[in-house]
Amino acid sequence: MAVEMRLPVARKPLSESVGRDTKKHLVVPGDTITTDTGFMRGHGTYMGEEKLIASVAGSVERVNKLICVKALKTRYNGEVGDIVVGRITEVQQKRWKVETNSRLDSVLLLSSMNLPGGELRRRSAEDELAMRGFLQEGDLISAEVQAVFSDGAVSLHTRSLKYGKLGQGVLVQVSPSLVKRQKTHFHDLPCGASVILGNNGFIWIYPTPEHKEEDAGGFTANLEPVSLADREVISRLRNCIVSLVTQRMMLYDTSILYCYEASLPHQIKDLLKPEIMEEVVMETRQRLLEQEG
Amino acid sequence: MKETPLSNCERRFLLRAIEEKKRLDGRQTYDYRNIKISFGTDYGCCIVELGKTRVLGQVSCELVSPKLNRATEGILFFNLELSQMAAPAFEPGRQSDLLVKLNRLLERCLRNSKCIDTESLCVVAGEKVWQIRVDLHLLNHDGNIIDAASIAAIVALCHFRRPDVSVQGDEVTLYTPEERDPVPLSIHHMPICVSFAFFQQGTYLLVDPNEREERVMDGLLVIAMNKHREICTIQSSGGIMLLKDQVLRCSKIAGVKVLEITELIQKALENDQKVRKEGGKFGFAESIASQRITAFKMEKAPIDTSDVEEKAEEIIAEAEPPSEVVSNPVLWTPGTAQIGEGIENSWGDLEDSEKEEEDEDGTDEAIILDSLKMDTGVEVSNIGSQDAPIVLSDSEEEEMIILEPDKNPKKIRTQTISAKQEKAPSKKPVKKRKKKRAAN
């Protein structure tokens, strides 16, 4: 068995040649954003000594008169309508507590959950007792944000057949700021796997089901063994996503797909080496630029 | 911050591995992780590392009035703190359960076992006694806090020296460390806790669980023992049902482990004592290895190249004439040449080629040393060759060889030694090696 060893080397800074026309205005906590007092202060800023000062490390965004700082590395802050992938941590009386990489655990109320068979009825006491039959501690679910409480906690719902308990697949945890906001976050990639890009930074890669089950409602987990070809595709996708993340690229279906195609000449395990990562991501970046331009 | 929950996959994986007698870090079921003990500059200060779990122990003393119902005994005070840097889940308000449990266990282990002679801490009965305070801080949590903490506590207590006191009638004199050497505490024995983690309702057991194993365990059995095989404390938590022979077996294992650990502690204390007596450097700064390959920074090693010239000349002087495998540079057109083809080939004059091979050797040495220096753009002229070097422009052209057919070719190379290009692809390195062998 061959073992590869590397000595510690100084990390190279990410290349500046990202091809961005507008340079982002990056600040760190304590930096002055502007001394002009005509602006309203948004999230991530505070007023101190006649100046607007940043309180988080991130990029400055300006909308007319509102200045806010969007943090680069942060916990997930819920917005209504986001798709999230979360893990059940507790089963409580009429709800489940879901861990979504945010400051507070999210809640999934029993009344926001689809009953099997898609029935619409009032939840009874039997349903409460059978909660553990639906979702247990440690299960992964995909859901949508229904509401955000005043303290920042997020309330989820799975009121559609495409949400629900997730079966076999691979979870990749990335920073929430790297997932691009798009129309849909459920993608069936042509390479043979499907991916759910949760806005909270949890990305779920799973084998594409052959036929869409309409009546399951996302409760029955398919436990049949996954074929080797599918597993290879999923592993490659996972390594591609990890390389994109290390180079701080935004994640969306096109970038992941391009990265996958760029990585095909390499072996799956080679994708974890820093040089190959750089090479693949550079190629992806090129293709994306060409596509835009 | 809340602890990230363990995924079902990971839980199942750990349990299956344990069923097959495999541990994630490759240890056997009864193996302890590496224990490293380092001392600080003050007496009574030590850091114990059990694998990646780190505990800092500090002992201090003070003269106070004794408790009313124990007028002739000193006071012992133990305190374990879970620092926020130990794990993200430790927050100022959130650790109560675990903290209380660990503190109680530590107290029972050290206080109730009477390992420290409290009578010897009395100075004036009823008025002044020593209060010994042991503070333990958990610096990193990677499982099995209680073992590391108990080792740190007992090591710190053994290492500690209290100021000397003399009582003459009614007069009590407290000597400073400068006047009289401080005195060690009187310690009868060294109780050490050994933890056993149980899985699958007591079917499998592991010694010294690390953090992952602790998360999936069913129950924990802690046995505190000293090297004389006396049990000081025993505690079972987690609500698992243990059979009598399981507990007996664990106590036997604990006996063996405690012996090993006690030896280690004695050795560490002796070492530190020796270093202090000999006047060597001691303290935490000395215990950090800075010469290891995994240290943060490797300083550039300066290489002395002042004697390169002499060395090269020596080699050339001692070199035997190369074997008949010679190759001359082939002049294609004025200004471009081909050197070597890899095949045995003698073109032109033997003498000329010999001289030029030796020159090459010299330059070889110099080139290699140069690349070590990591100095780009340095031009190396023929060392050993007698003419003044012709320095060509700093162009990045690889290896320019200017040949004068009747004189020795002067080879000037820039730092980018890529194998000579279109003319002799990849022949150069082969040739170099061959010549080296010939020269040796």
Side-chain angles (χ1 to χ4, degrees):
Chain A
M1 188 182 79
V3 179
E4 202 185 280
M5 286 179 64
R6 280 160 193 267
L7 290 179
V9 286
R11 195 157 36 145
K12 284 197 295 213
L14 290 179
S15 54
E16 255 77 10
S17 57
V18 201
R20 243 202 295 271
D21 7 302
T22 52
K23 268 289 202 178
K24 282 198 186 176
H25 182 198
L26 295 174
V27 287
V28 289
D31 268 1
T32 317
I33 304 175
T34 174
T35 42
D36 190 351
T37 49
F39 288 105
M40 288 196 297
R41 49 178 199 81
H43 287 302
T45 66
Y46 65 96
M47 188 70 83
E49 309 159 19
E50 305 297 317
K51 312 188 278 199
L52 205 57
I53 306 181
S55 62
V56 289
S59 55
V60 178
E61 318 229 316
R62 207 203 88 177
V63 178
N64 296 338
K65 283 264 179 195
L66 178 69
I67 290 196
C68 57
V69 181
K70 191 162 112 98
L72 288 174
K73 180 181 170 194
T74 168
R75 292 233 161 205
Y76 169 60
N77 292 320
E79 313 262 339
V80 180
D82 280 355
I83 314 279
V84 292
V85 171
R87 197 184 287 278
I88 308 286
T89 50
E90 283 176 46
V91 180
Q92 294 184 346
Q93 257 205 317
K94 276 207 190 74
R95 59 196 187 171
W96 289 273
K97 284 280 187 177
V98 183
E99 191 244 339
T100 52
N101 197 20
S102 40
R103 288 187 202 97
L104 294 167
D105 274 348
S106 314
V107 269
L108 174 64
L109 297 173
L110 178 59
S111 44
S112 321
M113 165 71 101
N114 257 356
L115 287 173
E119 313 166 53
L120 293 173
R121 60 172 168 80
R122 229 196 154 92
R123 308 288 186 269
S124 61
E126 285 97 39
D127 289 321
E128 247 188 86
L129 296 169
M131 271 176 84
R132 212 170 233 122
F134 300 153
L135 293 174
Q136 282 203 325
E137 284 96 341
D139 286 343
L140 277 171
I141 57 161
S142 67
E144 192 181 323
V145 175
Q146 188 178 39
V148 181
F149 296 124
S150 49
D151 55 1
V154 151
S155 171
L156 305 170
H157 76 89
T158 56
R159 278 191 165 292
S160 167
L161 289 172
K162 58 181 177 174
Y163 305 127
K165 185 152 93 164
L166 298 172
Q168 299 191 70
V170 169
L171 183 73
V172 187
Q173 296 179 341
V174 309
S175 169
S177 50
L178 289 174
V179 179
K180 190 164 173 173
R181 241 167 238 252
Q182 289 194 292
K183 267 226 181 97
T184 166
H185 288 254
F186 291 76
H187 304 285
D188 279 339
L189 298 174
C191 47
S194 307
V195 70
I196 303 180
L197 295 162
N199 284 91
N200 61 333
F202 283 11
I203 299 179
W204 179 249
I205 315 172
Y206 60 108
T208 317
E210 286 91 46
H211 53 91
K212 296 285 176 183
E213 294 122 24
E214 280 97 28
D215 54 343
F219 281 120
T220 52
N222 185 10
L223 288 175
E224 278 169 26
V226 179
S227 68
L228 181 62
D230 277 345
R231 274 186 274 144
E232 285 189 354
V233 168
I234 292 177
S235 318
R236 191 179 280 278
L237 272 175
R238 184 253 175 208
N239 282 357
C240 288
I241 293 180
V242 167
S243 354
L244 287 170
V245 164
T246 38
Q247 304 286 324
R248 311 301 291 179
M249 289 214 40
M250 292 297 278
L251 294 169
Y252 49 107
D253 56 346
T254 325
S255 70
I256 297 178
L257 195 58
Y258 284 176
C259 193
Y260 179 85
E261 287 167 8
S263 74
L264 282 173
H266 303 277
Q267 279 203 317
I268 302 179
K269 59 186 162 108
D270 286 340
L271 283 175
L272 294 172
K273 297 189 194 151
E275 321 81 53
I276 302 198
M277 253 194 220
E278 272 180 41
E279 199 190 302
V280 167
V281 173
M282 197 114 73
E283 210 186 300
T284 316
R285 216 175 253 151
Q286 295 272 51
R287 272 186 78 179
L288 284 171
L289 281 178
E290 283 169 32
Q291 190 217 27
E292 284 166 30
Chain B
M1 258 171 43
K2 194 128 184 252
E3 227 170 46
T4 35
L6 206 58
S7 55
N8 289 344
C9 268
E10 215 172 340
R11 194 178 291 268
R12 266 197 301 263
F13 179 74
L14 280 163
L15 287 171
R16 280 268 288 276
I18 291 170
E19 280 169 33
E20 297 176 12
K21 307 250 186 266
K22 290 203 195 5
R23 291 175 89 158
L24 279 190
D25 45 8
R27 290 186 274 158
Q28 300 294 321
T29 351
Y30 298 152
D31 277 353
Y32 252 83
R33 286 172 282 180
N34 265 344
I35 303 181
K36 181 171 167 223
I37 303 177
S38 42
F39 296 96
T41 41
D42 291 335
Y43 280 115
C45 182
C46 74
I47 289 188
V48 170
E49 289 177 50
L50 177 64
K52 290 212 191 122
T53 305
R54 271 180 161 213
V55 179
L56 165 76
Q58 174 75 59
V59 178
S60 49
C61 64
E62 205 188 0
L63 275 174
V64 294
S65 26
K67 292 206 183 110
L68 291 170
N69 52 349
R70 300 232 191 261
T72 51
E73 285 184 12
I75 303 177
L76 284 174
F77 184 66
F78 301 97
N79 183 31
L80 169 69
E81 275 179 27
L82 303 173
S83 158
Q84 275 85 61
M85 65 169 128
F90 294 155
E91 266 175 41
R94 267 223 223 171
Q95 343 153 357
S96 31
D97 263 356
L98 182 64
L99 194 60
V100 167
K101 174 176 165 216
L102 292 170
N103 268 306
R104 272 305 292 145
L105 193 52
L106 210 61
E107 276 209 34
R108 274 168 43 205
C109 167
L110 294 166
R111 198 198 292 276
N112 297 5
S113 63
K114 305 221 186 298
C115 58
I116 299 178
D117 184 11
T118 42
E119 301 266 350
S120 67
L121 297 173
C122 177
V123 177
V124 178
E127 285 175 30
K128 285 280 176 209
V129 297
W130 284 111
Q131 178 193 49
I132 304 288
R133 189 197 161 97
V134 182
D135 282 297
L136 300 160
H137 293 265
L138 181 68
L139 299 176
N140 193 34
H141 176 31
D142 196 31
N144 206 4
I145 304 175
I146 188 62
D147 284 15
S150 76
I151 297 177
I154 204 65
V155 166
L157 283 166
C158 289
H159 192 243
F160 179 63
R161 306 273 181 273
R162 65 165 171 82
D164 200 2
V165 166
S166 70
V167 181
Q168 251 119 350
D170 271 344
E171 231 186 74
V172 177
T173 359
L174 175 67
Y175 298 105
T176 60
E178 289 83 30
E179 294 171 15
R180 270 212 209 168
D181 276 339
V183 161
L185 298 175
S186 141
I187 297 182
H188 295 307
H189 60 94
M190 299 210 267
I192 297 187
C193 294
V194 177
S195 307
F196 300 87
F198 286 93
F199 303 87
Q200 313 282 47
Q201 312 310 320
T203 333
Y204 303 99
L205 90 78
L206 290 179
V207 174
D208 186 20
N210 69 10
E211 207 249 330
R212 291 284 124 143
E213 291 161 356
E214 270 188 359
R215 286 224 217 177
V216 298
M217 72 181 173
D218 282 340
L220 185 72
L221 175 70
V222 179
I223 302 184
M225 246 189 180
N226 62 21
K227 71 172 185 199
H228 308 292
R229 312 209 52 195
E230 299 167 330
I231 292 186
C232 310
T233 294
I234 187 164
Q235 170 170 312
S236 158
S237 53
I240 34 153
M241 318 257 264
L242 290 173
L243 301 169
K244 182 177 75 172
D245 58 326
Q246 273 177 320
V247 179
L248 282 174
R249 195 158 28 111
C250 289
S251 62
K252 284 204 186 72
I253 301 170
V256 172
K257 293 295 166 191
V258 163
L259 263 175
E260 291 171 11
I261 297 177
T262 315
E263 268 177 39
L264 187 72
I265 295 178
Q266 300 281 32
K267 233 193 300 188
L269 284 166
E270 272 166 30
N271 271 351
D272 183 71
Q273 186 77 325
K274 204 164 46 143
V275 169
R276 276 175 207 259
K277 222 195 289 206
E278 290 166 3
K281 292 210 215 152
F282 49 87
F284 290 132
E286 297 308 309
S287 62
I288 299 176
S290 52
Q291 297 302 318
R292 289 214 303 255
I293 204 169
T294 49
F296 274 101
K297 236 177 148 181
M298 279 305 273
E299 278 135 8
K300 294 195 190 143
I303 298 187
D304 184 19
T305 51
S306 51
D307 56 351
V308 162
E309 276 200 48
E310 288 91 349
K311 269 218 183 86
E313 277 179 14
E314 275 169 17
I315 294 174
I316 293 164
E318 293 163 13
E320 286 143 10
S323 52
E324 64 275 16
V325 181
V326 288
S327 26
N328 249 6
V330 172
L331 183 67
W332 290 107
T333 64
T336 52
Q338 171 187 348
I339 299 183
E341 279 201 56
I343 346 162
E344 312 206 344
N345 209 340
S346 17
W347 303 45
D349 238 351
L350 198 64
E351 222 157 273
D352 253 10
S353 49
E354 262 183 58
K355 256 264 171 100
E356 158 233 308
E357 259 79 64
E358 283 155 351
D359 287 344
E360 253 203 63
D361 270 17
T363 39
D364 277 355
E365 306 280 344
I367 298 291
I368 289 159
L369 286 169
D370 259 90
S371 56
L372 274 182
K373 254 199 321 206
M374 293 188 283
D375 220 359
T376 51
V378 165
E379 277 139 330
V380 177
S381 59
N382 268 344
I383 300 190
S385 130
Q386 298 64 32
D387 302 307
I390 298 179
V391 176
L392 288 182
S393 65
D394 270 22
S395 66
E396 292 300 275
E397 266 170 17
E398 312 82 13
E399 285 181 57
M400 297 237 304
I401 293 153
I402 292 136
L403 296 171
E404 279 104 51
D406 37 68
K407 289 201 301 187
N408 290 331
K410 294 182 179 41
K411 282 192 264 311
I412 297 103
R413 295 175 205 192
T414 59
Q415 193 51 33
T416 55
I417 305 178
S418 37
K420 211 188 165 261
Q421 314 51 36
E422 334 68 69
K423 303 305 173 188
S426 75
K427 302 296 191 255
K428 242 331 187 170
V430 175
K431 182 170 182 261
K432 272 192 209 167
R433 279 200 290 269
K434 275 207 269 196
K435 290 304 151 253
K436 274 206 139 51
R437 254 181 277 134
N440 290 344

